[in-house]
Amino acid sequence: TAKFTSALAIPVEFVEKNVKLRGEFHRVTAKGLEIEHVPISIPFITSIQRKWQPRGLLLVRLAGVELAPSGVAWLQQELKPKQLIWFQLLGREDLALECLVLVNKGRFLSVCLNEELLRRGLGRTARIEGLHHDSHLYWKLHKRLLRAELKALKKNKGIWKEASYSERIRDRISNNKFVQTLKQFASWLRSS
């Protein structure tokens, strides 16, 4: 029932046991997601506790994902302020939490944002900070993330999108040294 207002306030046991916490999304920053922890509520006790609970936001990073700029823009569009989300603790580094972030989509369906971003080609798979490299959980999650990234690669989505044949030809022509010299000569003639 305690409300966590900083990453250091979360007990080490919670991180080691990969506990899922609930929170209210506030905004996307360059460093990660800012989320206000929403503790478990017990009807009468919660109303009394709420008066003395401090306010503060947790910095949550998407574990195993290196976001592209288009991924940040997609998150800003997809997540709404005050939206309830779940985040599973995987590690803690300084003042940030490495987490799997889950968003409810309907009554019984939830989507893992880490996988969804990779599936859309809006980032690359990275090392999952906070988990031991030789643990079973690390490899299970890493395999899931790599599969999601492979789907984007096969479908040419996001950062994996290849240029069309005509775009590649146009780039080759414009980057040709002879064409660049002709352009410089033409601009010199116009200026003379």
Side-chain angles (χ1 to χ4, degrees), residues 152-153 155-165 167-168:
L153 180 64
K155 293 181 179 181
N156 287 330
K157 286 185 169 183
I159 60 173
W160 307 111
K161 185 176 181 180
E162 291 183 11
S164 68
Y165 181 73
E167 290 171 334
R168 287 185 298 211

Side-chain angles (χ1 to χ4, degrees), residues 5-24:
T5 56
S6 76
L8 298 175
I10 297 175
V12 176
E13 300 84 43
F14 279 37
V15 178
E16 289 173 351
K17 292 180 181 177
N18 306 116
V19 172
K20 278 186 188 176
L21 298 174
R22 187 173 57 152
E24 210 174 73

Side-chain angles (χ1 to χ4, degrees), residues 51-180:
K51 294 176 185 175
W52 292 286
Q53 285 179 336
R55 299 193 57 81
L57 299 176
L58 299 171
L59 179 61
V60 174
R61 288 194 293 230
L62 298 165
V65 178
E66 182 185 315
L67 278 177
S70 54
V72 174
W74 182 82
L75 280 172
Q76 289 170 337
Q77 179 184 359
E78 189 70 18
L79 298 173
K80 307 295 179 229
K82 304 290 185 186
Q83 181 177 356
L84 283 179
I85 60 176
W86 289 87
F87 52 102
Q88 183 176 4
L89 303 171
L90 299 177
R92 175 172 51 197
E93 191 177 318
D94 300 324
L95 300 175
L97 299 167
E98 296 286 332
C99 301
L100 282 182
V101 179
L102 303 163
V103 176
N104 288 337
K105 296 285 184 184
R107 191 174 182 115
F108 300 106
L109 180 68
S110 65
V111 174
C112 176
L113 283 182
N114 306 52
E115 287 181 70
E116 188 62 25
L117 282 161
L118 294 173
R119 199 175 296 118
R120 291 174 178 267
L122 302 174
R124 296 177 187 269
T125 305
R127 186 175 189 282
I128 301 172
E129 299 296 331
L131 282 180
H132 293 289
H133 195 69
D134 56 350
S135 72
H136 175 69
L137 180 61
Y138 178 90
W139 288 107
K140 179 182 169 186
L141 293 175
H142 197 62
K143 190 166 39 169
R144 276 176 47 191
L145 296 175
L146 284 172
R147 275 194 198 123
E149 184 177 29
L150 186 61
K151 283 182 183 179
L153 180 64
K154 285 182 178 179
K155 293 181 179 181
N156 287 330
K157 286 185 169 183
I159 60 173
W160 307 111
K161 185 176 181 180
E162 291 183 11
S164 68
Y165 181 73
S166 60
E167 290 171 334
R168 287 185 298 211
I169 294 296
R170 187 179 43 213
D171 288 343
R172 284 184 184 162
I173 291 172
S174 65
N175 291 335
N176 186 310
K177 292 222 182 256
F178 179 71
V179 172
Q180 288 177 349

